[in-house]
Amino acid sequence: MVDLATQYHRLKPEIDKAIQSAIDSSQFIKGPHVKVFEDNLAAYLGVKHVISCANGTDALQIALMALGLQPGDEVITPSHTYVATVEVIALLRLKPVFVEVNADTYTIDVAEIEKAISPKTKAIVPVHLYGQCADMETILDIASKHKLFVVEDNAQAIGAEYTFSNGQKAKSGTMGNIGTTSFFPSKNLGCYGDGGALFTNDDALAKTIRMVANHGQSVTYVHDIVGVNSRLDTIQAAILDVKLKQLNDFAARRNAVADFYDKAFAGQSKMKLPFRAPYTNHVFHQYTIRLSGVNRDEVKKKLLEKGIPSMIYYPIPVHLQNAYRSAEYKEGSFPLTESLSETIISIPIHTEFEQEQLRYIADNFISIVNS
Ligand SMILES: *Cc1c(COP(=O)(O)O)cnc(C)c1O
């Protein structure tokens, strides 16, 4: 699905130098590279504060903790997402309230959000799924009308840009109260281990986020709030700072792959190709096709026989997972989400393809889907 080895070899001189410099500093925790990377990422995103942490799941948890949400508070989010989005809500004894996704974008259906709002609702967590932004302008309008927080789960769309109806642009993850991301190796900006970060333009919130991520500590050994221990290693920050300079190029390479697939699959009646929403560009974390009139799992099997990996993001919607089922949520609660889990398939997309590889994948995919 990804080719991290080829990417490393292409960037090896700079990455090796960065790793060596982190080791030379011997400040493996909170070393100088961490602040440099946070500052560079903040400048790239056009956001006031970037606070790094240990992974994207922690980033979501720290965001909800920093907003001071209390047990029983309701948080609106799609069920068509990676489990981490919902896991942290449940872990903090908040209540996940699921909303259906849009039939084109597969991100949260903004027309359904207001129906899910109750007096206990405190926050909306949109997920910028597969690499493009959810409909943030509408989400922000709803949030401001109902006085709700917005936490953007931006693990899949770092570098994407949203355009408001007045023409103003903003990077994904910088529009809500807090944005979160993951630097898991296969993400668009991935490190060589685990990593994550939070973004905010709110000075007070930034201070609280730093405290929560550092044992709730304001001054060494003074703990004002309950926190966690969640840090980005110095070595990972050094690697990320090299890769950040490539992030726009990574997005361009991913878009070239998506364009190739779009062209190769044009007119295929059994494939619904990725939709490009007018209000956001796409950084193609995934290239996800919705199939119809074929046995999706059979397609997956036949692809593998040709040496072509594929993935299902995600095969079981969160509301149907044993951990998150409830009296309210069962089969049929979210028909589109449930149908997507049975019909979508993601094919390889990354930054290192040769044309012949893409041709091989596309030709085989077409013949397998039509066989
Ligand atoms: C990857 C991912 C996360 C979690 O990130 P980790 O770094 O693996 O903890 C959260 N949300 C979404 C949508 C993701 O894709």
Side-chain angles (χ1 to χ4, degrees), residues 11 36 55 59 102 131 214 315 317 336 346 370:
L11 305 173
V36 168
N55 57 67
N102 176 279
N214 186 26
L336 176 59
S346 301
N370 290 300

Side-chain angles (χ1 to χ4, degrees), residues 169-187:
K169 291 177 189 290
K171 283 282 199 301
S172 62
T174 68
M175 294 168 274
N177 301 86
I178 304 176
T180 67
T181 202
S182 163
F183 303 125
F184 187 82
S186 62
K187 299 285 157 96

